[in-house]
Amino acid sequence: MTTAKTVEEIRAEFPALARRHADFPVAYFDGPGGTQVPEAVVEAITEYLFHHNANTHWAYPTSVETDALLLEARRTYAAFFGGAENEVVFGNNMTTLTFHVARALARGWSAGDEIIVTELDHHANLAPWQAVAQERGLVLKMLPFSTETWQLDVAALPALLSPKTRLIAVGAASNALGTITDIAPIARLAKDAGALVYVDGVHLAPHHLPDPKSIGADFFVCSSYKFYGPHVGVLWGRHPLLSTMDVPKLEPSPNTAPERLETGTQNHEGIVGAAAAVQWIAGLAGSEGSLRARLVRSYDLLNRRERELFARLWEGLGVIPGVRRLGLPPGGPRTATIAFTVDGVPSESVARQLAEVGCFISNGDFYATTVARRLGLEKEGMVRVGAAAYTTSAEIDRIIAGVAALQQ
Ligand SMILES: Cc1ncc(COP(=O)(O)O)c(C=O)c1O
């Protein structure tokens, strides 16, 4: 019999949830900016630093243990991505990994070659491509998103593709609006044009188990700190590409993939913690089956709960005068992250007032700057609330009450 952890059981594992602010228990609604961390993850980091801390590839025991732990972490992420351990690259964060990959790929491209980016993406999946376009005389094209459907205008893609298209950089889910993009049809069009597909999975991975191979991605990148881990980025890439890309690297460092993409000494404790976060998620819905099977079950569980929380939040905010909800309603292709504005109350004031009642939320453009610009909100910004594994319906009610009580 498989037993799923209750929200109360989950919450008991997060010391951060004991925090109080202004005499209110803190409710963390900024999962899309970074989730809180369960004890098991911090224990794994501590255990590594206290008892196994070393650099890699030497003959003494702590170095051997470090090698083994890093390999184990790669295996964990192989299960997470549904791929192989030699397809998993660790790095500082998604942004740094993307600059690195963009630079390497662009070494093989010529002036006049084309890259497609999107209006819906976080700028971490824009700026690296912009930078290499500038450096190498590449043409950057932009796939628009519709402010009516809140989705990418995929019908506009065929006209943007050409025999010169080398890559399309696209987000799997918008960290501002929560929109989930169906990557498979985009990848099919890209493949037909001979282009690579680089997927930003940072906002998707906390809500849906990645499956980069089956959607046709060549690269899929995410950040462990968005799903209960420490600040570490993780990239999945097709092994033949990782093996042959012209990456900037030190001559004596390993030249086999995936290590050839990992510059310098890695954040060993962070990687161990990032793997512990995946194991923690896998343990939410019972202990039977392979790691991948357990992850599938856990994500199903999280999804079910998040959908309920989101519907409650969407409905609750919808009846408050002056609140404008941005994005798709419940039931649409979306995560449990909502962005909204409140007439007459700047987004920063909303965030400050809600913090006074213990509700921690973020505001601004969340680096989805083009989205904010398209919505005319680049100055005022948006307010963002996201549900995570530890969010309760009572917390959702608190935020709804907090928004209803905002002062101009
Ligand atoms: C959708 C999305 N992409 C990319 C990033 C950048 O990730 P990182 O902080 O790991 O560089 C973020 C961070 O908020 C994000 O939400």
Side-chain angles (χ1 to χ4, degrees), residues 32 93-95 122 124 173 175 200 202-203 223 225-226:
N93 48 54
M94 178 277 180
T95 306
H122 186 289
N175 65 314
D200 173 0
V202 172
H203 187 63
S223 280
Y225 73 92
K226 309 283 193 187

Side-chain angles (χ1 to χ4, degrees), residues 16-158:
L17 299 178
R19 183 173 175 134
R20 296 184 71 84
H21 181 75
D23 231 17
F24 291 94
V26 170
Y28 294 91
F29 286 109
D30 194 22
T35 49
Q36 299 307 309
V37 176
E39 273 159 353
V41 169
V42 178
E43 278 162 13
I45 294 171
T46 309
E47 165 71 17
Y48 173 75
L49 284 173
F50 280 159
H51 304 295
H52 311 282
N53 189 23
N55 215 323
T56 50
H57 304 323
W58 278 311
Y60 55 85
T62 47
S63 182
V64 173
E65 287 155 22
T66 294
D67 287 340
L69 284 165
L70 295 183
L71 178 60
E72 197 48 47
R74 262 191 237 287
R75 290 188 173 144
T76 298
Y77 272 90
F80 184 71
F81 290 122
E85 69 203 37
N86 64 9
E87 297 173 324
V88 176
V89 178
F90 294 110
N92 275 356
N93 48 54
M94 178 277 180
T95 306
T96 310
L97 282 164
T98 305
F99 270 109
H100 191 46
V101 169
R103 185 179 183 196
L105 290 175
R107 284 175 160 187
W109 297 336
S110 316
D113 283 348
E114 298 169 2
I115 303 173
I116 300 174
V117 291
T118 92
E119 286 187 341
L120 194 53
D121 272 66
H122 186 289
H123 275 213
N125 206 20
L126 170 68
W129 309 110
Q130 255 170 344
V132 293
Q134 205 169 25
E135 282 160 21
R136 303 194 68 86
L138 312 174
V139 178
L140 203 68
K141 294 181 174 175
M142 186 72 93
L143 182 65
F145 95 95
S146 157
T147 52
E148 271 153 37
T149 66
W150 308 103
Q151 299 184 57
L152 283 177
D153 182 6
V154 180
L157 183 56

Side-chain angles (χ1 to χ4, degrees), residues 70-342:
L70 295 183
L71 178 60
E72 197 48 47
R74 262 191 237 287
R75 290 188 173 144
T76 298
Y77 272 90
F80 184 71
F81 290 122
E85 69 203 37
N86 64 9
E87 297 173 324
V88 176
V89 178
F90 294 110
N92 275 356
N93 48 54
M94 178 277 180
T95 306
T96 310
L97 282 164
T98 305
F99 270 109
H100 191 46
V101 169
R103 185 179 183 196
L105 290 175
R107 284 175 160 187
W109 297 336
S110 316
D113 283 348
E114 298 169 2
I115 303 173
I116 300 174
V117 291
T118 92
E119 286 187 341
L120 194 53
D121 272 66
H122 186 289
H123 275 213
N125 206 20
L126 170 68
W129 309 110
Q130 255 170 344
V132 293
Q134 205 169 25
E135 282 160 21
R136 303 194 68 86
L138 312 174
V139 178
L140 203 68
K141 294 181 174 175
M142 186 72 93
L143 182 65
F145 95 95
S146 157
T147 52
E148 271 153 37
T149 66
W150 308 103
Q151 299 184 57
L152 283 177
D153 182 6
V154 180
L157 183 56
L160 296 181
L161 287 160
S162 89
K164 290 193 162 187
T165 311
R166 296 289 162 256
L167 178 135
I168 170 157
V170 58
S174 160
N175 65 314
L177 303 178
T179 306
I180 293 175
T181 295
D182 188 4
I183 300 292
I186 294 175
R188 272 197 297 275
L189 289 169
K191 292 288 119 168
D192 289 346
L196 296 171
V197 180
Y198 188 93
V199 179
D200 173 0
V202 172
H203 187 63
L204 186 81
H207 305 286
H208 289 274
L209 185 59
D211 203 354
K213 255 197 291 201
S214 79
I215 60 174
D218 294 292
F219 300 94
F220 185 102
V221 61
C222 59
S223 280
S224 155
Y225 73 92
K226 309 283 193 187
F227 47 95
Y228 317 106
H231 296 89
V232 168
V234 195
L235 174 113
W236 172 89
R238 290 188 189 272
H239 191 253
L241 280 168
L242 300 182
S243 299
T244 52
M245 284 164 61
D246 188 6
V247 277
K249 65 175 286 296
L250 310 191
E251 189 255 320
S253 69
N255 198 26
T256 44
E259 290 88 346
R260 63 195 299 277
L261 278 92
E262 294 173 340
T263 45
T265 304
Q266 293 297 298
N267 175 359
H268 300 163
E269 59 276 20
I271 292 169
V272 166
V278 169
Q279 296 286 354
W280 180 80
I281 295 172
L284 293 178
S287 56
E288 294 130 47
S290 68
L291 179 52
R292 180 84 186 172
R294 283 180 281 137
L295 285 166
V296 168
R297 272 204 313 272
S298 293
Y299 271 90
D300 281 351
L301 172 77
L302 292 178
N303 265 306
R304 248 193 336 273
R305 290 182 182 165
E306 284 180 5
R307 272 202 301 275
E308 274 170 31
L309 294 170
F310 180 74
R312 190 177 184 107
L313 180 59
W314 177 270
E315 298 307 328
L317 291 176
V319 295
I320 303 172
V323 170
R324 180 180 167 218
R325 297 165 300 183
L326 307 164
L328 289 158
R334 60 161 310 126
T335 66
T337 294
I338 189 170
F340 60 95
T341 57
V342 185

